[in-house]
Every structure is written in structure tokens, then in C-alpha cells.
Amino acid sequence: MPGLHQNQLYSLADPTYYETPARLPDEGTRFALDRRAALPGWDKGRSGLWTSLRPEGAPVTEQGWKIHVSTVPEEAAATLRETVRICLRHGVPVKFLRSRQALALMSDKYMARGSSGKFITVYPPDEPAFLRLVAELSAALDGRRGPYILSDLRIGDAPVYVRYGSFTDRWCRAADGSTVPALRAPDGRLVPDERDVVFRVPPWVTVPPELGPHLAARAAARDDSFPYVVERALQFSNAGGIYLARHRESGERVVLREARPHCGLDSAGDDAVTRLHREHRALRRLAGLECVPRVHGVRTVWEHHFLVEEHVEGRTLFEEIVARYALVRGERSDAELAAYRAWVDEVTDRLASALAAVHARGLRFGDLHPANIVLRPDGRLVLIDFEYATELDDPSPFAGAFGMQAPPGTAGAEADAYALWSTWLHMLMPLTEMAGHDRRKALVLERWARDRYRLGPDAGPPRPAALTPAAGRTDPVAGLLTGTQPDWGRLRTLLTAGIHAAATPERLDRLFPGGPDGFASGGVCAAHGAAGVLHALRHAGAEVPPEWVRWLADASLRRPPERAGGLLDGLPGAAAVLAALGEGDAAVELLERTSAGPPPPGADLATGRAGRALAALRVTRATGGPGACPPPEVFRTASDLARLARGETVPGLTAPPSAGLLRGLSGAALLHLELYELTGERHLLDSARDILHREAAHCVRMPGGSVQVKDGRRHLLYLDQGSGGFALVARAYLDHREDPLLSGLLPGVRQGCVLEFVREPGLFTGRAGLTATAHALDTAPADGPARTAPAPDVLASVRNLTWHLVQRDDRLLVPGAGLRRFSADLATGSAGLLLALHTLAASPVTPDSPTGPRALLSLLTLG
């Protein structure tokens, strides 16, 4: 699953869809060297944000010592000219960021710390060339400025850094099963090319003696006079870390807020150090206020600046909302909602008083959201993170969480008031990101909250003037979902239109916009790429243009075998979809390529061996007919998975830590069920039972009665990981054999699938998948009569999609994971919702209808 950092990074290039940073619209800020034609004897290439220059016919060096150069925006053009001039004279390949905008992106607050600051990369062909270039570049660039590259060793006082690493694209499996860049060890094995925030070299590499003084300088930079001892890190970003520390002598606990020079640039171009000193000035000006942490000063250690402030005991408002929010647990009694409402009122009143106190000192806060508010154990409230606190009349941009920001140009006090109202709404309905896509969604959420919590018209802070609904500007989505039945046909038409409008068959990296993870698969995978979208369109009866099928086949065949992936993240899933679309030859070839690479270490269905085996079954049936014999490796995989579930050690295979259809072992149970139905061998059914009982051990009954999978501190219902997907497989097993343990869990799972509040709308981890699961369990219940139409509570859940869906012209858009951008993919976006609604709208129900558990399982596993 993509994290917050990845979602933010992939939100920079496009305001509508998650997009690779390489698509940054930066034509107006390109460097002259990017715009010019290559010199005679040199090849010029482009890849992502990078432009490369390489001598014609030069042999490719696989790995070695590479040189990085960093810079600041105002020195970038001159640093680039000087560095490339030296590389051209030495005939050494070089690549550089193509534009000033790309440079700002690589130093952004949300950029990965290990790669941040890299502006130019030089690829010396051997160690002597490396040492010559290091000496010349460090002399030529001495005194220039640039961010410190954490993964590298700095050379002298120049922004020149070095590390040993790979020069070419090679990949291997990391210990956690992910695919990572690789180095070739002396014995020929591919091993991870570690690109962490600490300079290190592979064990077989000897550091040249010429780098010794720079290693010594790095070690000498440690300042033992710093009076604080760090206990643990609270947060990391490219701007620096936030640490809980203790004073060496007094023992007082403090928070250290670190700022790295020239790093963590924001939209105004300010770096972390600029913002840290702004915060220090604001805290001094606000000294004495109960709602502001005490400040102890600023210290500089080596080149990093640290703001030292009071450690405020308590939890952030964000954490409190997660811990207290009633609707996510199904706690719907009037007393429980009244208690939560009273807490919201108390916090809102204290927050309004805190902002009034800050304003009385002539400052705006500028970055109000739940993660910047700490509630002490006694209920008192403290504002933290004053990086954007400026004069009340300061016109400079303010920050704010996505969806909680006032419109540009809003005055300081008014902008804080807007954020106060948004924070109040977020406590009642933690979906305020949707207002970042369409401000009308804030009013949709407010109306729902006032009705659900029985709030009077004067409850809460005054609604901002910017949110006054204009005539004729009501949200049109509600009309699609209200009434006795949702308008299934219109929903299908608008979702399909959105998918078609978003298609980009002219691109090589993706056909449809999806989640950020789709770019790692070349845009072909089932979860976030073209395979899943075409699968959904086919089953929903929508048009699948032949050129889209051709795109999927061509793009899949470009993927290297070592990056084959699994059923949902790679080539096996693409093969299953292509086989169903009539592209049998391409499907068979993809499976052959997959088997040529190393098997994945995971056992799950999404990325591991259970999914690969199911893909082989799908392709075999599509190309050889229903009675075609599965390949022998499918049975070997099933045997290995059964042994793993029994607790045996299977070399090279690891069990998932939790339960679920896609990320647990329920997918392995489904594989055994399908093989049992194909062969009639009872031991396969026994193995399915054993696996499902292992999965059931992860399930717990919640106070409200729902059954969910416990995963650490989380409780999950989803198809991806959770009790929903497990229940579908368990119900399919019960078609063959009674099992009181499994049948006893199903009603609680079904109850959980219609809880009121679901944060995301998607199929794998959202409302679409839960409603489809509830309806599938209704059509084949463990006991009692089957339903022939969606139950009232299922329809009520579907109607709450009004919170998420956005209509633009004649199409519907679906927000993806994190809700920051829209997605058309199967896992999180329009294709998944289209498939789920299709299962609800299909009528009448027959044994072959797509509403039963087996049919839904088939749809989810690309059958």
C-alpha cells in the first residue's frame, strides 16, 4: 500500500490524477543544456526527470564509484555548466535534472531523504577516472552551496558527493520480498544496492585511500558538546527529523525539531532552516500562552539547525480522532454519539480560544490541522508547528492540510477561521480531503454530520463565507444514489465515461491513471494498471477497444522476467486478463517469462505464489478449455502452501503475518478449493480447511458484534487484508463441507461490511468491496433464505458514496488511496467501483449470477 509520502510525491505533477513526477509540466524552466542538441560524438537521452549525455559507442559500466553534485536554485545553471564542461572534456557519461522545477521537486519536503539533493550524477568508467574527476570537480565547485546527500560521502567543502553503486537498471528481491535496485557481488549474485540515509559500501569494496581524509572529516563533524541525548525519532522528512530528547544534566524532556540547510523546499521556495527560524521567532513572540509550547532556543550542530522546545505530553488531535471516532466501530447509540459530540464541542471551543490568543499577539497560525494540535492528558490544548506563523496581514501563502485550506488570497485571521471550521468538520466526518477536489463536498459532509449527530443549525464554528453554496451549484452526485434504488445504469455510464476519458493509449508507461504503485509495474498490473481496468470493463459489459488490449499485451511483453510480480502486481495477472480477452498466445508467453524469473518469497494471492498459481489456472482454462489439466507447478505450489500453513519450514517461502484474501493466506485456501473442484482429491479440501482455520485465528469479535482481523493495533474488514475476503473463501468452502467454526464467524463479518463510516470508496480497501461482500454473503447465507436484491443496509452504504464521488461534466471520478487524487484502477478507483456496483445491480439472481461468493471471488481473482 502506498504511504503518505508516496501519495504526496505522486500528487505534484497533476491536480487530478496520481502521476509520476517525470510528467512535471516544467517546459518553461528547462535548463539550456536540456534544450540544446547533443554535441558531435555524444548521445543525448531522457528518462523521467533526467537528461543524460553519453559518448557515442562508449562501453556501459555496470557499477562502481559514482559522483553526485547538489546545488541550490540560484546556482544551478552555473554549477551545471561547469560540471558538464569537465565531464565532456574527460569523455565521461553524465546525467542531470532537466529543469529548475525538477530540482525544486528533488529537494521538496516530501522527497525521499536518501535521494534528495541529487542534481547531477557522473559515471566514471573506473577508479582512476573517478579519483581524477572527484579532485577536479571538488576544486571547480569549491564554495558552492547545495543540500547534503545523506546516502553519500561529501568531498571537501564543495557540493560533491560519492558512493559506490549500480550504474545500470538491475533488480533483485530484498529481504521483505520487494523488488529493489541491485549490485552484482563477486560471486555473480545480484544483491540489493542499499540507498539508505547512511554512507556505506558493499563488503567486497575497498574505499580508495584518497577518500580517507573525507571519511575522517565526516567522523570529526560529530559534536559531543550537544547537551541533549536523543531517545527516539518521532518523525522524519526531507526537511529533517523530529526527536524526543532529554537534557544530559537536568533530565528535562524536550522535542528537537531538525532543519537541514537547502532541503525541504516548500511551494514558496523556503527551505527547512528558513521555516525553523520563522517558527522560533513566532514562539518567542507567543511566549507565556498556555496553548503554545515553551521554546528553549535554537542550536546548530554541524550544519543542522535544531529548535529546542517543550515536550508536550499527550496525543495529537489526529490520533485522538482515530482512537475515539464512534461510527467506524458501529457504535450508533444516542448516548455514544452524544458523548462524542460533547468532546468535539469541547475541543472546538478550546481551539477557537487558542487561535484568538495567537491572533491577539498579531500572528496567524497558518497551518491548522489535526496533526498540529496536541491534547494534554487533562484536556488542555497546545498548537504545534509554527513554521507558517506570520503577521496577520502577511499575504504570503499559508500551508494547511489538503482539503482544509482556505482559498488563495484569504486574509490571515479568516484563513485560520476556515481551518478551524474544517477541523471541526473533520472531527465529525474525517473526510475533509474531498473538499480539496470539490468544495461542495464540504457542504455534503456537513449536512450528513448535522443530521447524523443531531446538531442544530448554530452548532459548530461559523461556516466560512467561501463555502456559501451558490445558486445552481449543488452536488449532482446525490441524485444518482437517492430514491428506492440507486440509478445503476447512470452510475455505470458515468463511471465508464470517466475511464474512457482518462485513457492515454499514446503513453508507454500507463494506459489508465491509478495508484502510485502502478508505475512500478509499467502500468500493466491488475491492481493499479491496465489489466484490472480491462477486466472490470469486460465483466461490466462495457466496451473494451482492441487498441487497449494491444497496449496491454505490448506493455506486458516489455517487462523483464526478474520483475514479473504476482497476480495483482505483475505479469501473471496481465496474462490471465489477456487470456480472457482472446490473447492466448501473449498470455502463455507471459507465463513462460514469469516462470523464467525467481519465484516470489511471499505466499499470498496479491504478490506471491498463491496468485501465480491461480493465474496459471486462469490461463490454462482460457486457452485449453475447462477440462484442461493445470501445469504441475500449480500442484507443487499448493503443496508448499499447505505445508507452510501447517507451520512447516518451506525454503524460500514466508507466510504473511495477518489474514485476508489478497494479503493473507485465504488466497491459498481458494487455490486448494479450485483444485479440489477440478480433481476431486479430498486432501485438497482438507488443506483448504486447515488454511481457513489458521486465518480464523486472526479474527476477533468487536464490542459491537462485528468480526474483524486483528493486525497489531488495527482491526480490518477489507478484501485486501481483513475478514471480508476471508469470509468469501470460507463461505465457498462451506458449499462442500459443514464447519461450525467458519459458519459461526460469517454473520459478524457480514455485519461489519455495512458499518456506516468507511474512509475510502475503493474495491480492495474501501466501501465498494465491503458492500459487494455483504451482498454476496446475503445471496448465499450460511443459514436462512437468500436475498435476490441488495438489503436495505447495503443500499444505505452505497448511498454514502455521495461523500466520495465527484461528477465533472458527463463522467464520475473516484478518489484513490489517501483521497488526494482520483484513480481509474481496480484496487482503489473507478474500475473497482464499476465491478462492485455491477454485482449489486445484476438481477435476477441465478446460480451463475455475479452476486454469489464464488462469482465475486472469481471477479476478484481475474476469473
Side-chain angles (χ1 to χ4, degrees):
M1 294 293 292
L4 176 62
H5 161 82
Q6 190 178 20
N7 283 342
Q8 291 171 322
L9 179 63
Y10 280 81
S11 298
L12 297 173
D14 189 283
T16 303
Y17 296 111
Y18 289 115
E19 183 59 276
T20 172
R23 307 287 292 191
L24 197 70
D26 60 351
E27 290 77 8
T29 68
R30 297 287 182 96
F31 292 113
L33 277 168
D34 174 79
R35 296 193 302 268
R36 291 176 190 161
L39 295 173
W42 287 78
D43 291 326
K44 182 178 181 181
R46 289 190 173 91
S47 177
L49 294 171
W50 298 90
T51 299
S52 61
L53 299 172
R54 176 178 294 276
E56 290 180 353
V60 176
T61 302
E62 284 193 340
Q63 61 193 48
W65 287 97
K66 62 174 71 173
I67 303 170
H68 292 120
V69 177
S70 67
T71 190
V72 293
E74 54 270 31
E75 297 178 6
T79 295
L80 178 60
R81 284 195 302 270
E82 184 65 14
T83 303
V84 171
R85 180 187 66 81
I86 293 172
C87 291
L88 293 176
R89 182 160 55 80
H90 285 272
V92 173
V94 61
K95 75 174 183 181
F96 55 89
L97 289 171
R98 68 194 187 194
S99 67
R100 293 187 298 277
Q101 200 170 344
L103 172 63
L105 171 62
M106 291 297 285
S107 296
D108 186 90
K109 292 172 65 175
Y110 305 115
M111 194 62 200
R113 296 186 301 146
S115 57
S116 175
K118 296 175 182 178
F119 174 44
I120 305 170
T121 306
V122 182
Y123 299 97
D126 51 39
E127 191 169 298
F130 160 71
L131 294 172
R132 288 194 299 271
L133 281 163
V134 163
E136 189 167 347
L137 285 170
S138 60
L141 302 177
D142 185 57
R144 299 274 178 90
R145 295 175 295 156
Y148 192 100
I149 300 174
L150 295 174
S151 61
D152 289 23
L153 173 67
R154 185 165 65 184
I155 305 299
D157 293 324
V160 176
Y161 301 81
V162 302
R163 69 178 292 268
Y164 190 97
S166 179
F167 290 8
T168 59
D169 287 337
R170 291 174 300 176
W171 306 87
C172 68
R173 292 277 183 178
D176 63 0
S178 60
T179 303
V180 296
L183 288 169
R184 192 173 300 281
D187 61 6
R189 291 180 302 112
L190 290 178
V191 297
D193 181 6
E194 297 185 19
R195 303 178 182 186
D196 206 346
V197 294
V198 177
F199 172 69
R200 54 167 57 93
V201 295
W204 67 85
V205 173
T206 301
V207 177
E210 291 83 352
L211 299 183
H214 307 292
L215 283 169
R218 180 174 177 272
R222 179 178 176 179
D223 186 354
D224 292 327
S225 67
F226 191 54
Y228 298 99
V229 177
V230 172
E231 294 184 347
R232 61 186 172 93
L234 303 176
Q235 178 182 313
F236 282 118
S237 75
N238 188 34
I242 301 177
Y243 308 92
L244 179 63
R246 190 181 298 274
H247 194 278
R248 292 180 187 272
E249 296 180 359
S250 70
E252 180 184 7
R253 272 187 161 182
V254 298
V255 168
L256 305 178
R257 302 178 70 89
E258 178 188 30
R260 300 175 54 218
H262 316 305
C263 292
L265 301 184
D266 61 17
S267 59
D270 292 336
D271 72 352
V273 173
T274 300
R275 294 194 302 276
L276 180 139
H277 286 278
R278 181 192 297 147
E279 179 170 11
H280 181 223
R281 292 191 297 271
L283 291 176
R284 292 180 59 189
R285 186 162 163 179
L286 298 171
L289 295 181
E290 183 184 68
C291 61
V292 174
R294 297 189 311 275
V295 63
H296 298 289
V298 173
R299 300 290 297 258
T300 301
V301 180
W302 188 39
E303 299 173 355
H304 294 192
H305 298 238
F306 290 87
L307 176 65
V308 186
E309 61 183 39
E310 170 194 5
H311 172 238
V312 180
E313 294 284 351
R315 295 196 294 192
T316 67
L317 179 57
F318 175 85
E319 293 169 324
E320 286 287 353
I321 294 170
V322 172
R324 292 172 177 261
Y325 193 62
L327 298 181
V328 77
R329 292 170 180 82
E331 299 167 359
R332 306 176 184 182
S333 73
D334 290 344
E336 287 162 332
L337 291 184
Y340 186 77
R341 183 175 65 233
W343 175 76
V344 170
D345 290 341
E346 178 185 355
V347 172
T348 303
D349 289 344
R350 290 184 171 180
L351 187 54
S353 298
L355 289 175
V358 171
H359 294 166
R361 299 278 179 100
L363 293 179
R364 73 175 193 200
F365 183 47
D367 193 14
L368 183 68
H369 57 80
N372 281 349
I373 303 162
V374 174
L375 300 181
R376 295 184 187 271
D378 62 5
R380 289 179 299 148
L381 177 149
V382 179
L383 303 175
I384 60 173
D385 199 350
F386 281 79
E387 288 186 341
Y388 291 94
T390 59
E391 302 292 333
L392 272 175
D393 58 354
D394 191 324
S396 60
F398 40 83
F402 180 71
M404 303 181 76
Q405 300 162 309
T410 305
E414 187 180 350
D416 279 351
Y418 188 104
L420 171 64
W421 185 87
S422 295
T423 301
W424 167 78
L425 179 61
H426 194 84
M427 285 188 279
L428 298 171
M429 286 292 289
L431 293 170
T432 45
E433 294 91 342
M434 294 310 306
H437 301 295
D438 185 342
R439 291 193 189 274
R440 291 176 296 183
K441 288 298 178 186
L443 301 178
V444 170
L445 298 175
E446 182 197 15
R447 283 194 295 270
W448 194 93
R450 288 189 183 278
D451 178 68
R452 187 66 184 87
Y453 291 96
R454 300 182 182 180
L455 302 177
D458 297 328
R463 181 192 296 152
L467 288 174
T468 301
R473 291 274 297 161
T474 56
D475 186 359
V477 174
L480 299 169
L481 295 166
T482 54
T484 306
Q485 291 279 328
D487 190 341
W488 303 116
R490 183 68 174 154
L491 286 166
R492 175 185 177 278
T493 298
L494 294 177
L495 286 169
T496 303
I499 292 171
H500 277 258
T504 53
E506 71 281 1
R507 289 177 58 165
L508 295 179
D509 62 333
R510 68 132 163 100
L511 178 55
F512 302 102
D517 287 342
F519 292 104
S521 75
V524 305
C525 69
H528 301 292
V533 178
L534 300 190
H535 170 73
L537 290 173
R538 181 176 77 87
H539 279 283
E543 178 191 4
V544 181
E547 59 268 27
W548 291 0
V549 179
R550 188 71 258 154
W551 188 98
L552 175 60
D554 291 343
S556 299
L557 291 170
R558 288 195 296 268
R559 296 291 297 165
E562 61 268 22
R563 301 187 66 190
L567 181 71
L568 296 179
D569 71 338
L571 300 185
V577 172
L578 285 169
L581 289 167
E583 297 289 329
D585 291 344
V588 171
E589 182 176 350
L590 287 178
L591 282 189
E592 290 175 350
R593 291 189 177 199
T594 297
S595 62
D604 63 31
L605 189 149
T607 66
R609 296 192 198 177
R612 283 197 178 186
L614 275 173
L617 276 182
R618 304 285 181 261
V619 173
T620 300
R621 289 179 177 177
T623 57
C629 185
E633 59 265 24
V634 172
F635 291 96
R636 286 196 295 268
T637 296
S639 176
D640 287 343
L641 293 171
R643 291 170 52 209
L644 188 72
R646 291 195 298 267
E648 298 180 28
T649 299
V650 181
L653 187 61
T654 57
S658 187
L661 175 62
L662 306 183
R663 304 284 175 181
L665 277 181
S666 295
L670 178 62
L671 172 65
H672 283 81
L673 277 179
E674 293 202 10
L675 290 175
Y676 165 71
E677 292 164 351
L678 187 66
T679 66
E681 296 182 14
R682 302 292 292 182
H683 73 89
L684 293 166
L685 189 60
D686 293 340
S687 292
R689 175 202 59 211
D690 294 343
I691 296 171
L692 288 170
H693 282 197
R694 185 184 192 276
E695 294 279 274
H698 290 277
C699 293
V700 297
R701 195 171 299 275
M702 304 296 289
S706 68
V707 170
Q708 304 184 28
V709 165
K710 189 177 190 304
D711 179 47
R713 298 174 62 183
R714 303 182 303 165
H715 294 87
L716 304 171
L717 282 155
Y718 303 122
L719 295 178
D720 183 292
Q721 182 180 348
S723 56
F726 154 75
L728 292 175
V729 184
R731 185 63 196 83
Y733 172 83
L734 291 171
D735 286 340
H736 301 286
R737 182 186 287 170
E738 292 184 2
D739 191 300
L741 171 63
L742 299 179
S743 59
L745 294 173
L746 296 188
V749 176
R750 198 276 179 201
Q751 176 186 333
C753 288
V754 290
L755 291 180
E756 273 182 292
F757 182 82
V758 183
R759 178 158 161 76
E760 295 181 0
L763 182 65
F764 287 5
T765 58
R767 188 178 296 279
L770 294 178
T771 53
T773 298
H775 184 53
L777 293 174
D778 284 346
T779 60
D783 51 23
R787 298 194 64 91
T788 58
D793 56 358
V794 172
L795 290 177
S797 185
V798 171
R799 291 188 183 101
N800 286 339
L801 286 167
T802 308
W803 305 343
H804 291 102
L805 303 186
V806 173
Q807 185 170 345
R808 292 186 180 172
D809 300 323
D810 61 347
R811 61 190 192 274
L812 274 180
L813 303 180
V814 179
L819 306 181
R820 292 182 63 90
R821 292 293 184 267
F822 296 107
S823 167
D825 69 26
L826 182 70
T828 67
S830 302
L833 182 58
L834 177 67
L835 198 62
L837 295 182
H838 175 65
T839 69
L840 297 176
S843 180
V845 176
T846 69
D848 297 325
S849 168
T851 56
R854 287 308 306 264
L856 182 55
L857 283 169
S858 179
L859 292 177
L860 294 170
T861 58
L862 310 181

